[in-house]
Amino acid sequence: MSDRAADWTKGEQGIVYQCCDACGKVQYFHRSFCAACGTPDPVEKSASGAGTIYATSLVCRAATPETRAHVPYNIVLVDAVEGFRIMAHGDNDLVIGDEVTVRYQPFAGRLVPYFAKAK
Amino acid sequence: MSFITGVGLTSYGKHEGSSSLDLMSKAAEQAIADAGLKRSEIDGVLCGYSTVSPHIMLATVFAEHFGIRPSYAHAVQVGGATGLAMTMLAHYLVDAGVAKHVLVVGGENRLTGQSRDASIQALAQVGHPDYEVTLGPTIPAYYGLVASRYMHEYGVTQQDLAEFAVLMRAHALMHPGAQFHEPITVADVMASKPVAMPLKLLDCCPVSDGGAAFVVSRERTGEAGIRVRGCAQAHTHQHVTAMPALSELGAEISIAKAKAASGLAISDVRYAAVYDSFTITLAMLLEDLGLAKRGEAAARVRAGHFGRDGEMPLNTHGGLLSYGHCGVGGAMAHLVEAHLQMTGRAGKRQVRDASIALLHGDGGVLSSHVSMFLERVR
């Protein structure tokens, strides 16, 4: 397993995406095939963690005790430089178009990707 | 050919002690009576789902409870688009001769049957379990994301969005069955508690108890002839992370197909019934459907365009935002109101001319769309 890329959805510090050898399309949600052309076994890659803010929503009303402890928290959609879109957390003052980089922060008992403005 | 031959709708708000089946039954009974039919004449049942009482076979649970033995029955699940998706299916079922009278029914005790937190949490599960839900988003947050982008691209402001909440509330004041009876202003919306910015409490529909039903028949059962003229769907994604660009959303695809199927244009429409889970949903859908130009829907609200006496009366019962939202039944109330308008039974809410209505439903996060034209025939 040591050659597997670090993946935040498995509690690790990394963002994994997939790239299709046949058609070149990238996808973020893991599948055993390329959703664009159906070719099996797209290549797993590690993202750089750099991207641009596509959308933001500051959550002020949460629905579970675990998430309520964090309000307000900013849910962001980031267009990664590699060409896929990811949902994550970010600084509360981020605006659409900001160039951002990722780090990882604890949230409701897990580690989640957290974006801040690129220096 | 198919006709909407009867409609039924409970009040929305609190129905303490009523189960989802109770609310479905109440609306169903009204709809069947409105169609002038007997229960035993219903040979098809389509129902939605209940987050309070989930069941893998809700249609037969309902049929047994209600006391009918249909020859065709199952549930349909497309989130907020479920009501119109069921109507579309019922239209094809009766047209194909599979059934003569299909009962379409939805109802849920979503407000008193579970905590508000439980409702919010249940709905958040439309998100991706691994890549989204773990981040703690809520349904308002999914739509908040879309709102931030739409406002950015088209110069729409929070005050613009507030206009839709004020309009729906003004309409609800005219309906005794609506959940809310206090007038609100743009300032009230702006000052309401932040939920998932840019959406505030009054930008969001409430959680309600309620039920709605209609009967879709092969032939008309009375004088009124309200027929499905044409309908279409579009499904572009499930999760907001996988949503296409704003210019490629499903509403534009489904309305184009529905126009082709019906041979109608937006200029033919006299009454609009459009899904309004949040103010942003209504603003976007009106513009996607061509009922307003990009970024101009709010200006049309301010000009009275969507009022009872305006050029395009919209959700005259108050919509999800102010009549209420009990899940599947929520958007079915839009069709019930359209039917009342088309048959001249809307009382003091009655519009001048509702001869052709456009209905549109949205499920998920602008994921699933159903557009439908209803027409009154002599």
Side-chain angles (χ1 to χ4, degrees):
Chain A
M1 290 302 281
S2 58
D3 57 346
R4 181 173 64 74
D7 183 348
W8 75 270
T9 66
K10 297 183 168 67
E12 302 147 0
Q13 303 204 11
I15 297 167
V16 175
Y17 69 104
Q18 296 176 313
C19 187
C20 177
D21 271 343
C23 76
K25 289 273 169 57
V26 297
Q27 62 190 23
Y28 175 48
F29 296 167
H30 182 274
R31 301 169 180 92
S32 62
F33 54 88
C34 168
C37 73
T39 302
D41 303 322
V43 182
E44 307 247 311
K45 294 188 173 183
S46 274
S48 64
T52 307
I53 295 290
Y54 176 78
T56 71
S57 182
L58 187 70
V59 176
C60 303
R61 166 78 165 91
T64 66
E66 300 77 45
T67 54
R68 206 170 287 137
H70 293 273
V71 292
Y73 50 91
N74 204 15
I75 301 274
V76 296
L77 289 176
V78 176
D79 284 337
V81 292
E82 290 85 359
F84 63 92
R85 184 168 295 160
I86 172 175
M87 183 183 285
H89 282 204
D91 280 341
N92 289 356
D93 61 354
L94 289 175
V95 297
I96 290 170
D98 279 349
E99 291 187 8
V100 290
T101 54
V102 77
R103 64 175 190 269
Y104 298 86
Q105 285 212 159
F107 174 81
R110 315 174 55 104
L111 214 51
V112 303
Y114 185 102
F115 285 87
K117 265 194 210 178
K119 293 280 187 289
Chain B
M1 189 92 84
S2 79
F3 294 89
I4 315 284
T5 49
V7 296
L9 179 68
T10 70
S11 63
Y12 283 10
K14 282 189 177 175
H15 285 269
E16 208 79 55
S18 291
S19 68
S20 295
L21 287 175
D22 290 337
L23 292 162
M24 289 165 75
S25 301
K26 204 170 165 183
E29 205 170 306
Q30 285 179 31
I32 294 167
D34 191 42
L37 295 170
K38 295 194 290 284
R39 280 174 189 228
S40 56
E41 291 177 275
I42 298 297
D43 56 354
V45 173
L46 294 173
C47 73
Y49 51 88
S50 163
T51 63
V52 175
S53 311
H55 197 285
I56 59 169
M57 295 175 68
L58 188 59
T60 34
V61 169
F62 170 79
E64 177 194 284
H65 178 82
F66 196 60
I68 55 176
R69 295 181 171 187
S71 53
Y72 186 97
H74 58 79
V76 172
Q77 302 198 191
V78 208
T82 304
L84 285 184
M86 291 192 291
T87 311
M88 180 169 175
L89 176 57
H91 161 66
Y92 286 118
L93 286 173
V94 299
D95 194 49
V98 175
K100 274 171 85 173
H101 302 289
V102 177
L103 173 68
V104 175
V105 60
E108 186 170 347
N109 53 334
R110 189 174 275 189
L111 177 56
T112 60
Q114 62 190 2
S115 71
R116 202 171 258 109
D117 277 351
S119 289
I120 297 171
Q121 198 48 19
L123 298 175
Q125 308 306 312
V126 302
H128 195 292
D130 301 325
Y131 293 96
E132 295 180 345
V133 173
T134 49
L135 297 162
T138 54
I139 279 270
Y142 297 136
Y143 276 89
L145 287 166
V146 177
S148 76
R149 189 69 202 185
Y150 199 80
M151 292 163 74
H152 174 79
E153 289 195 22
Y154 298 112
V156 172
T157 66
Q158 290 189 39
Q159 281 85 353
D160 287 340
L161 295 184
E163 293 286 353
F164 295 93
V166 173
L167 175 71
M168 287 302 101
R169 184 61 59 91
H171 287 179
L173 297 179
M174 308 277 282
H175 200 308
Q179 186 159 351
F180 298 109
H181 302 286
E182 301 293 319
I184 57 170
T185 64
V186 167
D188 292 333
V189 182
M190 295 301 292
S192 62
K193 270 193 278 182
V195 172
M197 295 303 286
L199 303 177
K200 300 164 293 295
L201 186 64
L202 292 176
D203 287 297
C204 307
C205 66
V207 175
S208 320
D209 297 336
F214 14 93
V215 179
V216 180
S217 307
R218 189 173 169 78
E219 307 289 344
R220 62 176 90 186
T221 57
E223 257 182 45
I226 306 303
R227 80 174 187 104
V228 177
R229 169 82 181 244
C231 45
Q233 302 186 8
H235 308 265
T236 54
H237 62 284
Q238 174 59 31
H239 307 106
V240 67
T241 302
M243 187 176 87
L246 294 180
S247 58
E248 299 166 6
L249 289 176
E252 290 198 49
I253 302 168
S254 68
I255 187 65
K257 291 198 294 184
K259 284 195 282 193
S262 63
L264 291 171
I266 293 300
S267 57
D268 295 318
V269 178
R270 294 293 175 265
Y271 179 85
V274 179
Y275 196 77
D276 60 325
S277 52
F278 299 95
T279 52
I280 183 64
T281 321
L282 187 52
M284 286 180 71
L285 291 177
L286 287 171
E287 295 173 10
D288 283 353
L289 295 172
L291 292 166
K293 287 194 183 129
R294 275 294 162 218
E296 294 182 4
R300 290 205 145 181
V301 175
R302 289 189 190 96
H305 186 80
F306 297 115
R308 179 194 64 184
D309 303 319
E311 256 179 76
M312 185 64 68
L314 168 74
N315 302 349
T316 48
H317 63 306
L320 299 167
L321 285 167
S322 275
Y323 191 86
H325 195 351
C326 57
V328 171
M332 289 173 65
H334 292 61
L335 190 148
V336 171
E337 178 73 358
H339 194 273
L340 293 178
Q341 290 287 3
M342 297 179 84
T343 50
R345 299 186 292 164
K348 59 182 177 178
R349 301 188 310 283
Q350 186 62 49
V351 304
R352 259 192 328 273
D353 169 18
S355 50
I356 293 179
L358 167 60
L359 297 93
H360 187 88
D362 146 41
V365 190
L366 301 163
S367 318
S368 289
H369 295 264
V370 186
S371 301
M372 177 175 290
F373 289 97
L374 295 182
E375 173 190 35
R376 184 178 64 217
V377 290
R378 297 287 170 198

